[in-house]
Amino acid sequence: MKQGTICLLFLGCCLSVSLRSGAQTAPADTVFSRQALALLEQSYKKQAAENLRLYNGGEYLPHAHGVKGFPFLGSPDPLKGSVFYDGNLYEDVGMQYDLEEDNLVIRDYSGNYSICLVKQKIAYFIIDGHRFVYLQAGNGLPSAGFYESLYSGKTGGYARRQKKILSLDPTGSDASYHSYNEYFIEKGGVYIPVKNERAVRRYYTQLKD
């Protein structure tokens, strides 16, 4: 949900209280003002309930202290994006995609701590210009999780993006995050692994020709 919407809800709540107070002291309340108040309260409750559904997940605790780099896509800091979660679309949300644990992370409504959204409730999310969808394992996919949708149509192209900790020193003093990618072409519900993203794009170009 956009921050502007949240501010609007807050103002709506304040207006609701103000209208109630005025209605108690005004000598003659009108039917219009009562209807407007009822509609405002109904809208506020609906929007607030939808917003609270976004903050439904477990606490996120980073665990790789001392590792060089960061596990997230694009940046160590939250990036603005959108997510279709539990039947609702939320836009302009600060989020981090943890590529090591395959978790989408947001701040809770108070901003005091981070939470992981429930994967199975995420239809898709868009972050840093990348659109990810949740896919089940099977039919050629090695594991369930988030896959970047490179294109879609009669066939689809997908990338499985991950980060793993690599260390060549037995003490782990040189541990750092390294990126790994797998690519698939989906055709008729079957996912075919290909070598790289260029192969995915080439197949898509051939389809268009």
Side-chain angles (χ1 to χ4, degrees), residues 9-195:
L9 295 178
F10 175 76
L11 291 174
C13 183
C14 294
L15 180 58
S16 173
V17 174
S18 176
L19 287 173
R20 281 186 174 276
S21 300
Q24 292 175 356
T25 57
D29 193 14
T30 65
V31 173
F32 174 79
S33 64
R34 289 195 296 269
Q35 290 177 339
L37 175 60
L39 289 173
L40 180 61
E41 289 180 331
Q42 182 180 3
S43 176
Y44 169 76
K45 290 178 181 178
K46 179 177 182 296
Q47 295 288 349
E50 290 179 353
N51 188 47
L52 289 175
R53 292 175 69 177
L54 176 63
Y55 304 110
N56 179 17
E59 184 175 3
Y60 174 76
L61 298 173
H63 64 279
H65 298 289
V67 179
K68 296 178 182 178
F70 52 87
F72 306 111
L73 176 75
S75 170
D77 302 314
L79 300 171
K80 292 293 185 180
S82 58
V83 55
F84 196 89
Y85 187 66
D86 199 16
N88 292 284
L89 176 62
Y90 301 92
E91 299 178 288
D92 200 27
V93 178
M95 60 179 67
Q96 296 170 293
Y97 176 28
D98 186 329
L99 292 169
E100 182 189 11
E101 297 185 350
D102 196 32
N103 279 319
L104 186 61
V105 181
I106 66 169
R107 302 295 290 179
D108 78 309
Y109 65 91
S110 68
N112 292 326
Y113 61 91
S114 298
I115 58 177
C116 296
L117 298 183
V118 180
K119 295 179 185 180
Q120 292 78 5
K121 292 185 177 182
I122 300 174
Y124 69 86
F125 65 90
I126 300 173
I127 181 173
D128 197 30
H130 301 267
R131 179 187 175 95
F132 291 86
V133 297
Y134 184 82
L135 299 177
Q136 297 287 350
N139 296 325
L141 287 184
S143 60
F146 297 116
Y147 290 76
E148 182 179 359
S149 176
L150 302 176
Y151 69 85
S152 61
K154 292 183 178 179
T155 66
Y158 297 92
R160 174 69 156 166
R161 306 202 183 278
Q162 296 176 290
K163 282 189 177 183
K164 299 179 182 179
I165 299 175
L166 178 64
S167 175
L168 300 178
D169 190 316
T171 65
S173 59
D174 64 339
S176 60
Y177 285 105
H178 291 258
S179 297
Y180 297 87
N181 300 302
E182 296 178 275
Y183 299 93
F184 302 87
I185 293 172
E186 181 272 324
K187 185 176 181 181
V190 177
Y191 296 85
I192 306 167
V194 294
K195 185 176 181 180

